[in-house]
Amino acid sequence: MRRSLWQTSAVLLAVGALVGGTAATASSETYESRHGNQDQIRNVIYLLGDGMGRTHVTAGRERFYGAAGKLAMERLPYTGAVSTYAVEKGGKQPALVTDSASSATAWSSGVKTYNAALGVDSYEKRVVTLMEQAHAAGFATGNVSTAEITDATPAGQFSHALLRGCQGPVYSDAACLPKNADGSYEAKPSDATLITPIAEQIARNGTADVILGGGLARFEPDDQQALKAQGYQVLGSFGDPALPAQTAASQKVATKADLDAVKGKKVIGLFNRGNLTVERAKAGLPAGAPEKLEPTLADLTRKSISLLSGRRDAKGFVLQVEGAQIDKRSHANDADQTLGEIKAFDDAVAAAVDFAKKDGHTLVIVTADHECAGFNIIEKNSFTNAEAAAPPVNSDAGNPANNSTPARSAGANVKDPARSGGIVNGTGSQDPKNFAPATFRTPDDPAGVVDGSPQASLWLTYLSGNHTGADVPIFAYGPGGEAFAASQDNTELYTKMYRSLFRKAPHQH
């Protein structure tokens, strides 16, 4: 099934990469006059903290640098906000809370689409991506993630799928075909790429020259053969082609040592069979654990920049870098690991900015695809509504119209001891009913204050285990960075990056 799907659609991929633009075209009447230094831009580095809302940034700053400190991303001169909503199929109704796939399509291709869609619009039609356009125009390209490289955010730049779950290694209707209202599967599309496993697309379309991340289990030995035929150096091994029934056993993950040694124009390195290991968990593993050999996101960022910037045969480069585990640990409401992943992502931002400062022709953009889990900083020694016996009351004696509706008893906002046994990373951590905040010391706290104590100043909690519809922050550095110092929609990010590279507005489909 895999080969026939690819062979049917290879020409469509090649043509799509050469076709200009998307449906999102911004007005250009004053753009060149306001952003004339765009001519200085040769490289774009787009860093994405998956699930990273404004509070994630604030909490990361306070945890590691104190209230008056700043993360590397917060030191960038241009700041703004990004709206993130998606649309339902057909585009007639907004979906106010996006997933990573529809959001990735928005900044990669400039169109709103339905949740779970990658590289297609809300009518299930292919849209070209910025990375495809850059590659076809002679730029070097790179895609880096701490997730599986087939996951939604990285996949949005170099694949096209009706459903994000169509990652591979094998095809199935359940993973690759949307369902109709009656529960039946839609008919297979005429563009077979859209139901070709993402791993197979990545291994054959050559869209990214440097590919670094996780997800080795998504690939097969013939994918490695296809990559090598295109000139890629493959770190580790995708498995022995002579032992197809034993692919998993014969696969070998790449290591940091492999990464450090690699040279060349085209490289793929997959450092875990699944997602890369969160930094907090990696630190707690014994010295001989294979996960200890994984590079950090900052390592991946520095190496990819080195490989791409060394290409003298390219016009410049386009690099996307994702800190995926901020989102994944927020889904799990794990504040400790969430904070660690924010710091790991910010270290990657620092590496990118360090290069940009020396280069002088690189635009760095730092943002998120959506906020995850309603991350909140609450007052020390307070509690959340999830711990309360009843929701809080509002009583306004001067204007009864402001009173709580439905009516609630006065003093109802009290802690219910049956629902919370203490601080979640402290004495109550083993209580399954514990809804309490997680507490962390900061550099501002007195000596002796420890994580998990009531004395720790940073109290963190979550609203849910899912995404929210909140706008996300954006930070930029370098020539053209001022274009992002605005309140903007995520589709506008595509348009602005396209202009930075090509000095013109994208064409409409």
Side-chain angles (χ1 to χ4, degrees):
M1 182 64 178
R2 293 187 60 173
R3 296 287 76 75
S4 60
L5 283 173
W6 177 259
Q7 290 163 355
T8 305
S9 57
V11 173
L12 289 170
L13 272 174
V15 171
L18 293 169
V19 174
T22 71
T25 304
S27 171
S28 61
E29 62 265 15
T30 62
Y31 192 90
E32 283 70 24
S33 61
R34 292 176 58 195
H35 308 294
N37 61 359
Q38 297 267 85
D39 290 339
Q40 302 173 27
I41 301 172
R42 289 200 292 264
N43 315 308
V44 172
I45 304 176
Y46 181 81
L47 297 112
L48 190 286
D50 201 303
M52 185 183 73
R54 178 65 250 186
T55 301
H56 288 80
V57 175
T58 304
R61 173 217 307 152
E62 293 175 343
R63 165 64 161 170
F64 297 107
Y65 299 105
K70 287 186 182 295
L71 294 172
M73 68 184 85
E74 294 180 293
R75 296 182 183 277
L76 305 190
Y78 305 111
T79 63
V82 182
S83 60
T84 63
Y85 70 95
V87 294
E88 303 293 347
K89 278 194 177 181
K92 296 179 180 178
Q93 177 73 24
L96 297 182
V97 179
T98 188
D99 81 334
S100 293
S102 55
S103 186
T105 303
W107 78 69
S108 296
S109 297
V111 298
K112 293 288 187 183
T113 192
Y114 59 92
N115 285 333
L118 283 168
V120 297
D121 64 18
S122 65
Y123 300 94
E124 300 185 348
K125 301 300 181 184
R126 166 200 294 275
V127 289
V128 69
T129 74
L130 180 70
M131 193 168 288
E132 289 171 340
Q133 291 171 313
H135 188 265
F139 289 86
T141 48
N143 207 337
V144 173
S145 179
T146 55
E148 295 177 293
I149 205 67
T150 53
D151 204 359
T153 297
Q157 284 283 16
F158 57 5
S159 70
H160 304 266
L162 298 181
L163 290 180
R164 59 181 288 179
C166 191
Q167 296 184 54
V170 297
Y171 170 87
S172 74
D173 286 352
C176 302
L177 273 178
K179 288 186 176 181
N180 297 307
D182 63 3
S184 62
Y185 291 110
E186 293 181 3
K188 292 182 178 179
S190 56
D191 181 353
T193 310
L194 306 184
I195 52 171
T196 298
I198 292 167
E200 182 180 348
Q201 295 185 48
I202 293 169
R204 287 159 183 79
N205 62 30
T207 299
D209 300 313
V210 175
I211 304 168
L212 304 174
L216 179 59
R218 299 293 184 180
F219 293 82
E220 296 180 333
D222 61 350
D223 296 321
Q224 177 167 319
Q225 293 173 323
L227 286 158
K228 286 188 171 181
Q230 298 170 75
Y232 283 86
Q233 183 174 349
V234 179
L235 309 185
S237 172
F238 289 9
D240 188 341
L243 301 170
Q246 302 175 40
T247 294
S250 63
Q251 287 182 329
K252 180 183 177 183
V253 297
T255 66
K256 184 178 184 300
D258 296 330
L259 181 71
D260 291 342
V262 74
K263 299 177 182 178
K265 295 180 179 180
K266 294 187 175 184
V267 177
I268 181 168
L270 304 178
F271 302 89
N272 195 297
R273 289 181 54 75
N275 301 315
L276 299 193
T277 309
V278 296
E279 291 301 320
R280 186 71 176 82
K282 193 193 308 184
L285 294 172
E291 292 84 358
K292 287 279 194 181
L293 303 179
E294 294 176 14
T296 66
L297 186 59
D299 294 331
L300 297 174
T301 301
R302 281 189 289 265
K303 188 64 177 189
S304 57
I305 291 173
S306 175
L307 293 169
L308 295 169
S309 63
R311 289 277 301 274
R312 301 304 173 213
D313 60 336
K315 291 181 179 179
F317 68 83
V318 175
L319 172 62
Q320 179 173 294
V321 177
E322 181 199 21
Q325 307 285 28
I326 299 169
D327 178 67
K328 297 181 189 303
R329 302 322 301 157
S330 292
H331 277 297
N333 285 189
D334 188 331
D336 189 10
Q337 292 191 343
T338 298
L339 289 168
E341 293 306 304
I342 294 168
K343 178 63 165 62
F345 175 69
D346 196 58
D347 290 344
V349 172
V353 173
D354 182 60
F355 168 81
K357 287 180 176 178
K358 296 172 183 175
D359 176 70
H361 301 283
T362 298
L363 170 63
V364 177
I365 303 157
V366 183
T367 188
D369 48 357
H370 52 72
E371 196 277 345
C372 186
F375 203 34
N376 286 287
I377 302 168
I378 67 170
E379 187 179 359
K380 185 177 178 180
N381 295 317
S382 64
F383 59 93
T384 68
N385 285 347
E387 301 172 84
V393 65
N394 185 68
S395 180
D396 186 341
N399 185 355
N402 296 333
N403 290 350
S404 295
T405 302
R408 300 167 184 162
S409 60
N413 193 29
V414 296
K415 200 170 185 178
D416 182 351
R419 300 184 71 188
S420 177
I423 294 165
V424 74
N425 61 334
T427 57
S429 60
Q430 301 306 311
D431 185 350
K433 300 187 299 296
N434 187 6
F435 291 86
T439 68
F440 300 91
R441 70 163 285 112
T442 74
D444 300 322
D445 289 344
V449 172
V450 297
D451 293 349
S453 68
Q455 293 77 31
S457 59
L458 182 58
W459 285 49
L460 298 172
T461 188
Y462 293 90
L463 173 68
S464 76
N466 298 313
H467 300 170
T468 73
D471 288 3
V472 294
I474 187 168
F475 310 90
Y477 173 87
E482 63 269 27
F484 299 89
S487 181
Q488 61 222 293
D489 187 66
N490 54 8
T491 54
E492 295 178 64
L493 304 183
Y494 164 80
T495 303
K496 292 175 181 181
M497 287 189 286
Y498 185 98
R499 288 181 184 274
S500 297
L501 291 171
F502 299 106
R503 322 288 194 258
K504 60 183 179 180
H507 302 294
Q508 292 184 336
H509 282 299

